[in-house]
Every structure is written in C-alpha cells, then in structure tokens.
Amino acid sequence: MRVLITIACSAALALVVVATAPASPLRQECDPFCPISKVSFTSVVSRNDYATLKVNVRPRARCTIKVGYSSAAGLRAKIGGLITWRWKVDSNTKLGRWPVIVGCGRSGAMSRFTLRVVR
C-alpha cells in the first residue's frame, strides 16, 4: 500500500510539472496585452559586425526599432509574432553603450535593450 501512495504522488507531481512548464518562446502565443519578450539579442558587437535582436510580441502588433547611435540602415517596422532584426554596425560607430528601443502598436508596449559596441 505504501508503494502505491508513493507512485501516485510521483505521478501527480510529474503531471503538475508538465502542466506548468512554459511554452517555447519561439511558439508562444500572446494575448492582446502581452509585452515584448526578448528571445535573443547580440548585446556586445564589434564594429563592422552584425547585431541581431529577436523578440516575441502579439501576433498582429506593428513594431519599430531604433538604435541610439544612428538609424542603422535596413531597420524597418515589422508585423508581430516572432520578429527578427539584423543590422550591420558601421566601422566608424563610436565605441560604447547604445540604447536599442522597440515599440509596438497602439498598446504602447516598449522595451529598451543596451548594445555595447567594442573594437
């Protein structure tokens, strides 16, 4: 009898863990009020190299990105879900820390990241 209770408790615990495990950020669906969730970000980059920011937002949100040191060519607004921006850090970009700001839609959702440019 004691063995059955232990097995039953273990099965119930495993069920709770599986039920509460978070969804993969690549497949996560958002309701209309979800924030901007960082999936990946190149936070340190050398001049003449590429930086990448990948975020997850609500499915139909229109999101923009601004990089503090310049307009960073090719960074256009994109429509929601899983969004990836990739840009080249120019060879004459000033070394240091720069804000990267993402804003999405009418909800006013905004996230700020810091990009560090090194030699």
Side-chain angles (χ1 to χ4, degrees):
M1 186 76 138
R2 186 173 237 157
V3 173
L4 289 175
I5 292 170
T6 303
I7 292 171
C9 290
S10 296
L13 180 60
L15 188 64
V16 169
V17 170
V18 170
T20 60
S24 164
L26 300 178
R27 295 180 183 242
Q28 179 181 1
E29 288 296 323
C30 293
D31 63 29
F33 305 105
C34 84
I36 299 165
S37 301
K38 177 180 74 172
V39 176
S40 63
F41 178 52
T42 308
S43 60
V44 178
V45 65
S46 298
R47 291 173 172 164
N48 241 3
D49 208 352
Y50 288 87
T52 303
L53 173 60
K54 187 180 292 189
V55 296
N56 194 23
V57 300
R58 61 188 176 86
R60 289 184 226 52
R62 181 179 184 275
C63 300
T64 59
I65 184 172
K66 293 183 182 179
V67 179
Y69 61 80
S70 75
S71 60
L75 293 179
R76 296 184 183 97
K78 295 189 177 187
I79 303 299
L82 183 62
I83 297 176
T84 302
W85 284 284
R86 185 173 187 257
W87 67 97
K88 187 171 185 175
V89 176
D90 198 45
S91 60
N92 62 0
T93 300
K94 196 171 175 182
L95 301 179
R97 296 178 191 277
W98 297 99
V100 176
I101 300 168
V102 175
C104 294
R106 296 179 197 153
S107 69
M110 187 173 285
S111 283
R112 180 184 171 110
F113 307 94
T114 301
L115 177 69
R116 195 172 104 204
V117 178
V118 297
R119 291 182 192 259

